[in-house]
Each structure stands twice: as structure tokens, then as C-alpha cells.
């Protein structure tokens, strides 16, 4: 419902290869850590976004999307649903091309706002599950 197959494919193959992963830290037990590693294996540049601004998977981290000094194509959101809408709004403001809310991250109003701003968006899906399925 929040990410038809064509939108998923477009984001994963045609939107661009620089992914800001909001919520990514060096904590190896968190889902964001493993998903970011999968994205890297599939050729994506992963930019960690976390208040600690840690370097993760060899990439410099930033405290916020606004702090990233270069364009990002996709913003992958690993924060709880209560905070996700604000991140989607920041992604629009930062000039991202797409927003991806992870499994369990749902904010229908943010989905509507993001789509109305012209961005592709997927919600309640995981790119690490979807990308290996692509032919």
C-alpha cells in the first residue's frame, strides 16, 4: 500500500546511490547497521545520520540531514513513527529525491506530504529485503 513494486524498483535502481540513513550508529545490534551494510554491498553510498555523528561502515556521520554538505538521493528512516514525519519534512527541505520508512515506521500524513512535494516514498518496507529481489 505504501510502496508499490514500481516505486520500490525506481528508488533502488534509478533514484541515485547516495543514501542518508537516519538513525545509523556504530551499534552493531541495531537493524540500521545491518541494513546499511547490505546497501553498501549493492553499491550504495551510505551516509550515517545520528546525533553522535559517528563514522560507520567507513563513512563520515552527520548529526542531522541539514549538516550533510552534499546532496543525498534517498533518506532511509530508522526512527520511531512519532519522529519520522519530521525527518521526512527535513528530507524534502534537503532536496532528497525519495524517502524510505523502514519496517514498522508508519506516518500516513508524512507519506501524503512527501508525495505531494514530488518525492517518491516507501513506507513500512526494508530496502535490504527488497534489493536482493531485484532481477
Amino acid at each position: 500500500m505504501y510502496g508499490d513494486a514500481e516505486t520500490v524498483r525506481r528508488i533502488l535502481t534509478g533514484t541515485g546511490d547516495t543514501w542518508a540513513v537516519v538513525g545509523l550508529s556504530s551499534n552493531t545490534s541495531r537493524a540500521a547497521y545491518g541494513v546499511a551494510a547490505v546497501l553498501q554491498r549493492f553499491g550504495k553510498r551510505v551516509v550515517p545520520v545520528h546525533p553522535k555523528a559517528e563514522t560507520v561502515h567507513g563513512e563520515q556521520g552527520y548529526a542531522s540531514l541539514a549538516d550533510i554538505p552534499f546532496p543525498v538521493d534517498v533518506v532511509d528512516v530508522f526512527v520511531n513513527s512519532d519522529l519520522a514525519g519530521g525527518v521526512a519534512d527535513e528530507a524534502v527541505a534537503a532536496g532528497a529525491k525519495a524517502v524510505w520508512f523502514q519496517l514498522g515506521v508508519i506516518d500516513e500524513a508524512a507519506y501524503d506530504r512527501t508525495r505531494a512535494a514530488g518525492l517518491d516514498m516507501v513506507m513500512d518496507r526494508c530496502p535490504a529485503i527488497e534489493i536482493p529481489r531485484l532481477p
Side-chain angles (χ1 to χ4, degrees), residues 72-91:
V72 297
D73 301 308
V74 181
V75 176
D76 189 7
V77 182
F78 277 93
V79 299
N80 71 48
S81 297
D82 294 341
L83 301 174
V87 175
D89 295 339
E90 290 172 24

Side-chain angles (χ1 to χ4, degrees), residues 12-69:
L12 291 173
T13 64
T15 298
D17 290 333
T18 302
W19 286 53
V21 181
V22 179
L24 175 57
S25 71
S26 61
N27 184 341
T28 60
S29 67
R30 302 293 296 193
Y33 190 89
V35 170
V38 171
L39 289 170
Q40 280 187 323
R41 281 200 311 273
F42 281 88
K44 307 300 181 189
R45 178 182 183 191
V46 172
V47 181
V49 179
H50 189 279
K52 294 180 182 178
E54 299 172 299
T55 296
V56 183
H57 296 306
E59 290 284 348
Q60 168 64 48
Y62 298 89
S64 71
L65 288 173
D67 291 339
I68 300 173

Side-chain angles (χ1 to χ4, degrees), residues 100-114:
W100 191 298
F101 281 9
Q102 283 294 324
L103 291 170
V105 180
I106 299 170
D107 182 331
E108 293 177 9
Y111 181 87
D112 292 341
R113 286 193 312 273
T114 303

Side-chain angles (χ1 to χ4, degrees), residues 6-17 19 44 73-74 97-98 120 134:
E6 181 52 38
T7 301
V8 168
R9 174 182 297 287
R10 187 169 47 249
I11 292 172
L12 291 173
T13 64
T15 298
D17 290 333
W19 286 53
K44 307 300 181 189
D73 301 308
V74 181
K97 298 173 187 169
D120 276 334
L134 296 174

